[in-house]
Amino acid sequence: MSFDGVVTRAVTHELMDSLTPGRIMKIYQPTQTELIVTVRSQGKNHNVLLSAHPSYARMHVTKDTYQNPKEPPMFCMLLRKHLVGGFIESIEQLEMERVIQIKVRGKDEIGDERTKTLVMEIMGKHSNIILVDQERDMILDSIKHVSPSQSSYRTVLPGHSYRRPPDQGKTNPITLNPEDFVKKLDFNSGRMDKQIMSILMGFSPMIATEISYRARLGSATTYQETFSRVQSQLIHHDYTPQLLRGKKEHFYVLPLESMEAEKETYNTVSELLDAYYSGKAERDRVKQQAGDLARFMKNEREKNIRKIKKHEETLQKAEQADEYQRQGELLTAHMHLVKQGDKTVTVVDYYDPDQGERTIELNPNKTPSENAQSYFATYSKMKKSKEIVQKEIQKAEEEIAYFDQLIQQIESAREEDVEEIREELREEGYMKAKPQQKKKKKPQAPKPETYVSTDGTTILVGKNNKQNEYVTTRMANRNDYWLHTKDIPGSHVVIRSEEPSEETLQEAALLAAYFSKSKASSSVPVDYTLIRHVKKPNGAKPGFVTYDNQKTLFVTPEEAAIRDLKNNVPKD
């Protein structure tokens, strides 16, 4: 993983510079594994994210916003009791391990000064956030509890002594003499990157590979010089926070010559971590919240596909309706040849240009007239079923298009968008309605996402059907510009301007393409027109509109461009 001991050292140094001296003002716990701590330092507030997520554990200053639960969890309330109002004395890394200790000085209930330590352990699925009473060396609580049955090495429960994670027997690269580093290497064994990882504390495959690459499998002197340069960068905190986009996306705080990728440099380590993790972590949270919803929608979609298949089989049979009418008419014309009890009758087929003969099957229990009427009745029934089935197929196709739209919306939804999608499905009768509460809450207006173009123009993006309708029919003015991907499920996008620049139009089209089913495609067609040309047909599904007088742009969505539009400042 990218978040190794080197990144931990970089972020710890950065937080120490920006958060000390600092006072803890607020603490929130938006999810089971994440904390947001607001620190007042150097004249402004900083929101610090501490995450013990099994896949995205990290700690850094964040600009992301999080939805907090109505009732704070017990761990959050305990942290507020012990830490809010306290002053951060230090933020330190434990050697080169992925462990950060935040020492907070505050007062207890009777006014005596006490020091508490908030320990951030970044260890993949074993990541944890632990509050320790420094004077008693006792755990007050942790975001994840570890019982003796789960770990024989240490117990992480309130009342137990705090024990640091197990030592792996590696050497701290900060204090290691470069000459001693080379002595630890076995040049005959090969796999130098693996050896470097096994020797140096906090070094991931990424930096170990980099040292091997720079040394070019050279001599001991070359490895010594290469390690010495990396060590100097760490000692002097000479970092270059970079996002690397290749086959996969990576990040690091030292330049990586070994990796061929498009490189984007950030001003701070926190900005880099925010850019890399924010979307991924939120996607994971949304996945957890909306897992049942996604399964339900995919099942409904599959149900309609099966329905169409069944209807098409019925339609195929119904195509034979004319044949039954023909047999009825031929039987009526040759009624004089038929006697009750006959099983078949051979007649001249006057529909055949050659006037050939054909045999018609009969029910011997029916009169000749009843046999003819039976054929006409079957014809009428099949003709009627054909009309019904065609309507049912059209209805099922509309349902599939509707669920395609919802599935796309779930894939790009924020946490707050999920409940609106769920509510829409209840309103449309697909899901059971919630039991009515005694006190009815006033329904809240949907909150579409806001972006700002390079020239400062506001652009609104609906992230679900409720937001799409609200943006298009309620928020937009009739001469605002409206955009949507051409014949592709996606968001309604509105430019809050009657005369947007070409650049703004292009950027709004990027948003429409990015928040659509064709997010990963190139040259995505995006239609744009004025709001006054957009109409919702009576009885249409939520979010469905028709439009005319449109023009089409072709754009290729880029995540970096979308991030920039989110961070731009609107003009006055």
Side-chain angles (χ1 to χ4, degrees), residues 46-58:
H46 306 263
N47 287 331
V48 185
L49 169 68
L50 291 85
S51 172
H53 190 285
S55 303
Y56 307 116
R58 64 205 189 276

Side-chain angles (χ1 to χ4, degrees), residues 348-407:
V348 176
D349 186 357
Y350 51 74
Y351 289 102
D352 181 4
D354 298 329
Q355 299 290 295
E357 290 186 339
R358 68 177 297 172
T359 301
I360 299 172
E361 290 186 3
L362 303 170
N363 184 338
N365 298 320
K366 291 182 178 180
T367 65
S369 177
E370 285 172 343
N371 269 295
Q373 290 305 313
S374 176
Y375 276 106
F376 286 127
T378 303
Y379 160 72
S380 297
K381 187 179 176 183
M382 292 181 83
K383 187 180 177 185
K384 193 175 181 181
S385 74
K386 185 178 177 181
E387 292 170 4
I388 293 168
V389 164
Q390 283 171 335
K391 285 178 184 175
E392 287 297 316
I393 288 173
Q394 186 183 347
K395 187 180 170 185
E397 285 171 345
E398 288 169 2
E399 291 282 294
I400 290 168
Y402 176 63
F403 283 108
D404 279 342
Q405 176 90 342
L406 289 178
I407 290 165

Side-chain angles (χ1 to χ4, degrees), residues 276-510:
Y276 178 83
Y277 279 112
S278 61
K280 293 177 177 65
E282 186 175 34
R283 289 297 329 127
D284 188 78
R285 289 194 297 272
V286 169
K287 216 177 214 179
Q288 289 178 19
Q289 285 183 12
D292 63 319
L293 208 55
R295 282 192 298 275
F296 171 80
M297 291 189 293
K298 282 173 183 172
N299 287 341
E300 288 294 311
R301 187 182 184 279
E302 290 299 318
K303 199 188 291 181
N304 279 286
I305 289 171
R306 289 195 298 272
K307 197 182 283 186
I308 287 176
K309 193 175 177 182
K310 193 175 177 182
H311 285 324
E312 281 175 343
E313 288 171 4
T314 307
L315 199 59
Q316 238 175 353
K317 290 177 184 175
E319 295 297 335
Q320 301 170 13
D322 291 342
E323 179 61 26
Y324 284 92
Q325 183 187 28
R326 180 182 296 181
Q327 290 191 60
E329 288 176 351
L330 288 174
L331 194 54
T332 303
H334 296 84
M335 196 77 75
H336 60 283
L337 299 177
V338 185
K339 299 189 294 292
Q340 188 165 354
D342 288 348
K343 292 183 179 180
T344 60
V345 63
T346 301
V347 298
V348 176
D349 186 357
Y350 51 74
Y351 289 102
D352 181 4
D354 298 329
Q355 299 290 295
E357 290 186 339
R358 68 177 297 172
T359 301
I360 299 172
E361 290 186 3
L362 303 170
N363 184 338
N365 298 320
K366 291 182 178 180
T367 65
S369 177
E370 285 172 343
N371 269 295
Q373 290 305 313
S374 176
Y375 276 106
F376 286 127
T378 303
Y379 160 72
S380 297
K381 187 179 176 183
M382 292 181 83
K383 187 180 177 185
K384 193 175 181 181
S385 74
K386 185 178 177 181
E387 292 170 4
I388 293 168
V389 164
Q390 283 171 335
K391 285 178 184 175
E392 287 297 316
I393 288 173
Q394 186 183 347
K395 187 180 170 185
E397 285 171 345
E398 288 169 2
E399 291 282 294
I400 290 168
Y402 176 63
F403 283 108
D404 279 342
Q405 176 90 342
L406 289 178
I407 290 165
Q408 177 273 319
Q409 289 169 1
I410 280 285
E411 286 169 0
S412 62
R414 301 164 297 174
E415 289 176 83
E416 57 265 40
D417 302 330
V418 174
E419 188 52 40
E420 288 181 347
I421 294 172
R422 205 182 290 275
E423 188 58 39
E424 179 188 329
L425 287 168
R426 290 192 195 109
E427 288 171 1
E428 291 296 304
Y430 293 103
M431 297 181 83
K432 285 183 181 177
K434 271 184 177 178
Q436 285 192 345
Q437 296 178 339
K438 290 180 182 178
K439 287 184 180 179
K440 279 193 176 181
K441 288 185 180 178
K442 188 178 177 183
Q444 290 186 330
K447 294 178 183 175
E449 199 157 7
T450 303
Y451 292 82
V452 179
S453 70
T454 305
D455 66 13
T457 305
T458 298
I459 304 172
L460 301 173
V461 179
K463 302 298 287 293
N464 56 47
N465 288 330
K466 281 180 174 287
Q467 291 176 22
N468 283 339
E469 286 208 355
Y470 192 72
V471 161
T472 303
T473 63
R474 300 284 293 278
M475 294 183 76
N477 297 323
R478 66 192 308 270
N479 289 321
D480 284 347
Y481 274 68
W482 181 89
L483 299 91
H484 194 283
T485 42
K486 184 180 178 67
D487 301 325
I488 301 164
S491 292
H492 292 204
V493 176
V494 170
I495 304 172
R496 299 307 307 268
S497 170
E498 295 185 8
E499 294 181 355
S501 64
E502 282 297 321
E503 184 180 34
T504 296
L505 203 54
Q506 195 76 17
E507 288 170 342
L510 274 177

Side-chain angles (χ1 to χ4, degrees), residues 226-237:
T226 304
F227 171 71
S228 185
R229 283 195 295 272
V230 171
Q231 185 187 54
S232 176
Q233 286 177 298
L234 295 175
I235 290 169
H236 296 101
H237 298 290

